């Protein structure tokens, strides 16, 4: 199993600003994923973060809006840039375990005013 | 990834078995069937996965139809802590495509 922590756990931000969310894993993992969960909705994959290469973004998500860093095998950051109220969501990171299961962090609850 | 169809909600009584159905009629031969659940205010939690054969673990059992077009997650004895949204997902282990899931309510 993997234990994942995220910082901050929640934040309230003003529109037009940016927030960087940190994801820390207690073991080395190859792939990390970032998801968004809008209010009352299911999870949507934003991007896959690979160490040593550019993140791979899903349709509808772009690097300028959601830049991702992956400096090592235990850490990643997701920045939500130039925020608007529509970005108010829970942002979660996850990693794949040894036998196909994914482990998710507790999420970062973002409110944009 | 193949789409799945689940009931929006189900109810169960505490200490009774719960059978959560999932239809995945367009599943491909190499797609796994994954189940995750999300408790209130938490990230999703892995429950179980399988390919063709029925699977058991400490949390639940997964019954897979012979044609793989449907599956059932079985909680053998529901507790109040099992109240959550349960997601059935087809595909590989990496890019999970979450549907709306089934919200399970467990009555005391």
């Amino acid at each position: 199993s993997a234990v994942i922590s995220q910082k901050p756990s929640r934040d309230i931000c003003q529109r037009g600003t940016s927030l960087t969310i940190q994801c820390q894993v207690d073991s080395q993992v190859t792939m990390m994923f970032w998801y968004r969960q809008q209010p009352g909705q299911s999870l949507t994959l934003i991007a896959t973060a690979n160490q040593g290469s550019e993140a791979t973004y899903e349709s509808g998500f772009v690097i300028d809006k959601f830049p991702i860093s992956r400096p090592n095998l235990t850490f990643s950051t997701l920045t939500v840039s130039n925020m608007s109220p529509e970005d108010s969501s829970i942002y979660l990171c996850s990693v794949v375990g040894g036998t196909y299961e994914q482990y998710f962090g507790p999420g970062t609850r973002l409110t944009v005013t | 990834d193949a789409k799945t169809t689940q009931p929006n909600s189900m109810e169960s009584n505490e200490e009774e078995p719960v059978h959560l159905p999932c239809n995945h009629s367009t599943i491909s031969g190499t797609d796994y069937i994954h189940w995750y659940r999300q408790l209130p205010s938490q990230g999703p939690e892995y429950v179980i996965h399988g390919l063709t054969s029925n699977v058991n673990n400490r949390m639940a059992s997964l019954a897979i139809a012979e044609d793989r077009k449907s599956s059932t997650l079985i909680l053998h004895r529901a507790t109040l802590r099992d109240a959550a949204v349960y997601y059935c997902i087809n595909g590989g282990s990496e890019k999970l495509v979450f549907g709306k899931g089934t919200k399970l309510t467990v009555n005391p």
Side-chain angles (χ1 to χ4, degrees):
Chain A
S1 66
V3 177
I4 301 173
S5 60
Q6 288 186 231
K7 289 182 181 179
S9 58
R10 59 178 61 227
D11 206 341
I12 301 173
C13 301
Q14 298 213 346
R15 69 172 68 207
T17 62
S18 299
L19 176 71
T20 295
I21 301 168
Q22 298 179 8
C23 177
Q24 180 76 51
V25 189
D26 68 344
S27 57
Q28 294 185 339
V29 294
T30 304
M31 299 175 78
M32 296 178 75
F33 305 91
W34 287 98
Y35 290 83
R36 179 177 73 180
Q37 187 168 27
Q38 294 177 300
Q41 303 297 314
S42 186
L43 283 79
T44 302
L45 180 64
I46 298 172
T48 303
N50 300 312
Q51 195 267 337
S53 64
E54 292 275 343
T56 304
Y57 290 83
E58 297 301 306
S59 175
F61 297 96
V62 295
I63 187 171
D64 290 345
K65 177 67 175 177
F66 298 102
I68 288 171
S69 77
R70 182 79 199 275
N72 58 51
L73 292 174
T74 63
F75 187 78
S76 177
T77 66
L78 170 76
T79 299
V80 186
S81 303
N82 189 24
M83 288 183 285
S84 67
E86 292 71 35
D87 294 319
S88 297
S89 298
I90 299 173
Y91 293 86
L92 303 104
C93 64
S94 73
V95 302
V96 178
T99 52
Y100 297 132
E101 67 272 24
Q102 277 198 25
Y103 299 98
F104 286 80
T108 295
R109 184 179 295 271
L110 170 62
T111 302
V112 183
T113 60
Chain B
D1 289 313
K3 287 189 175 180
T4 61
T5 304
Q6 300 177 251
N8 290 332
S9 61
M10 291 185 64
E11 272 195 52
S12 172
N13 295 320
E14 201 174 8
E15 299 187 6
E16 290 184 354
V18 182
H19 290 232
L20 297 164
C22 180
N23 287 321
H24 29 79
S25 58
T26 60
I27 191 171
S28 76
T30 57
D31 282 346
Y32 281 84
I33 300 160
H34 308 267
W35 284 83
Y36 285 78
R37 71 180 185 181
Q38 188 172 23
L39 280 64
S41 300
Q42 294 188 27
E45 173 187 31
Y46 167 81
V47 177
I48 200 166
H49 78 279
L51 186 60
T52 55
S53 304
N54 295 343
V55 184
N56 300 298
N57 66 21
R58 62 175 181 81
M59 289 183 69
S61 295
L62 175 60
I64 301 173
E66 198 168 330
D67 63 5
R68 298 202 339 119
K69 293 184 185 299
S70 66
S71 62
T72 302
L73 179 71
I74 303 166
L75 305 180
H76 295 285
R77 199 162 160 267
T79 70
L80 297 179
R81 294 183 67 251
D82 291 321
V85 178
Y86 287 78
Y87 298 100
C88 168
I89 302 168
N90 296 160
S93 61
E94 297 172 356
K95 291 187 178 183
L96 298 180
V97 179
F98 286 80
K100 296 186 184 300
T102 297
K103 183 175 182 179
L104 175 65
T105 301
V106 181
N107 301 312

